């Protein structure tokens, strides 16, 4: 074995392997960069979505809710609440009604506070949640109830 496997061969395998895997690395980087535009939905990033993110943050919705798994586990996941509560069309009216109704005051049920938000602010949160629901998460969360 030591007669046939020379230093030169070892060097070739070392350099050849390095070049080979570096080329694979470049190809995968190129592929990732190329598929970014179709994976993100930046095109629909409207003024309303941006305002909605601000309202969401100022009111600390994440202090009780999760958004795509991140946040607190006191209240339902909201990454897919649009699909759960009416879909594209009916979600805005649902959220307007929902925000006005809080707190529900059902005994034994976790309560959500009243935030006294304007209709515009609630519409903006709805747009933000609609935008979030379209992020490609490979199917997360796994079920409709979050
Ligand atoms: C103090 C904790 C708390 C905070 C803060 C909070 N929520 Fe909630 N939220 C809840 C709880 C608890 C529920 C479930 C209530 C129920 O089912 O009666 C809920 C439910 C909801 C639902 C309905 C979810 C569904 O599956 O139907 C929406 C939408 C929602 N919250 C939006 C918001 C938004 C927007 C904010 C920020 C402005 C917010 N929440 C902040 C506790 C909170």
């Amino acid at each position: 074995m030591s007669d046939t496997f020379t230093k030169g061969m070892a060097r070739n395998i070392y350099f050849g392997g390095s070049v080979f895997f570096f080329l694979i690395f470049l190809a995968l980087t190129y592929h990732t960069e190329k598929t970014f535009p179709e994976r993100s939905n930046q095109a629909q990033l409207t003024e309303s979505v941006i305002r909605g993110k601000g309202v969401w943050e100022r009111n600390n919705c994440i202090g009780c809710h999760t958004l795509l798994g991140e946040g607190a586990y006191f209240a339902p996941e909201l990454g897919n609440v649009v699909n759960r509560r009416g879909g594209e069309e009916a979600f805005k009216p649902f959220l307007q009604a929902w925000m006005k109704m809080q707190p529900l005051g059902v005994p034994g049920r976790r309560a959500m506070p009243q935030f006294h938000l304007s209709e515009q602010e609630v519409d903006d949160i709805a747009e933000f949640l609609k935008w979030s629901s379209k992020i490609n998460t490979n199917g997360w969360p796994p079920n409709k109830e979050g």
Side-chain angles (χ1 to χ4, degrees):
M1 185 69 191
S2 58
D3 292 341
T4 52
F5 193 71
T6 61
K7 263 190 178 175
M9 286 164 79
R11 197 182 308 119
N12 286 345
I13 288 173
Y14 174 74
F15 286 118
S18 300
V19 169
F20 178 71
F21 285 107
F22 184 68
L23 287 178
I24 288 185
F25 170 73
L26 285 184
L28 289 175
T29 306
Y30 173 74
H31 176 259
T32 304
E33 288 291 327
K34 210 172 146 245
T35 52
F36 265 145
E38 56 200 68
R39 278 168 46 190
S40 78
N41 46 2
Q42 265 187 346
Q44 301 140 22
L45 199 55
T46 61
E47 287 297 311
S48 181
V49 174
I50 294 166
R51 281 196 307 269
K53 180 173 183 282
V55 184
W56 169 267
E57 285 171 355
R58 281 193 299 281
N59 291 281
N60 193 28
C61 308
I62 209 92
C64 289
H65 291 275
T66 47
L67 189 64
L68 305 180
E70 289 288 331
Y73 293 103
F74 180 72
E77 160 70 49
L78 296 185
N80 59 350
V81 69
V82 175
N83 307 331
R84 186 159 68 240
R85 304 289 174 231
E88 266 305 291
E89 295 302 311
F91 180 67
K92 228 177 232 186
F94 163 81
L95 194 64
Q96 288 289 356
W98 177 263
M99 298 306 283
K100 282 195 190 98
M101 270 159 35
Q102 303 311 312
L104 294 182
V106 182
R109 187 160 154 165
R110 291 179 187 188
M112 174 163 146
Q114 175 54 250
F115 286 93
H116 302 288
L117 300 177
S118 68
E119 289 210 349
Q120 178 68 56
E121 286 173 316
V122 175
D123 271 358
D124 290 342
I125 292 190
E127 286 299 326
F128 170 64
L129 289 173
K130 277 190 201 174
W131 184 87
S132 309
S133 74
K134 290 186 201 125
I135 295 171
N136 181 348
T137 56
N138 286 338
W140 186 267
N143 67 60
K144 209 178 169 191
E145 289 304 319

